[in-house]
Amino acid sequence: MSDITRSDVAHLARLARLAVTDDELDVFSGQIDAILDTLGRVSDIPDDVPPTSHVAPLTNVLRPDEPAPSLSREAALAGAPEAEEGRFRVPRILGESQ
């Protein structure tokens, strides 16, 4: 365990301008201890382990961008509640100015 005390947590709470109760000081000091102990295990990793950004190798899973048949404008607008000038008509949400 690390040496995080209730007074350390209270000091951090004052710096962060957080109001914490006495019960929370006990809980937070235990949680911060656990976090610091977990982070301390990083120093136990052997030096010969190569650094990685991901645990599994990444490959590009995107397909080539090729044109393909799709809906016509009329078919896309067929199910719309309202359409105007070949576009979906929706209520204005930002006011009257253009």
Side-chain angles (χ1 to χ4, degrees):
M1 292 274 269
S2 62
D3 297 324
I4 299 296
T5 63
R6 293 178 85 246
S7 63
D8 294 333
V9 176
H11 179 69
L12 288 172
R14 275 192 302 278
L15 291 175
R17 298 179 185 198
L18 298 174
V20 293
T21 65
D22 287 338
D23 292 337
E24 289 173 328
L25 289 175
D26 293 329
V27 171
F28 294 158
S29 64
Q31 290 174 343
I32 292 172
D33 268 343
I35 292 168
L36 292 177
D37 288 341
T38 302
L39 290 175
R41 291 177 36 204
V42 171
S43 63
D44 297 338
I45 297 174
D47 292 335
D48 61 344
V49 175
T52 58
S53 61
H54 299 282
V55 294
L58 296 179
T59 58
N60 188 356
V61 295
L62 301 176
R63 61 174 171 72
D65 190 13
E66 298 174 358
S70 62
L71 290 176
S72 67
R73 181 179 293 182
E74 293 76 25
L77 293 172
E82 291 187 55
E84 183 178 293
E85 297 178 8
R87 292 178 266 176
F88 294 100
R89 180 177 167 84
V90 295
R92 183 180 304 274
I93 59 170
L94 297 177
E96 297 299 322
S97 63
Q98 293 291 337

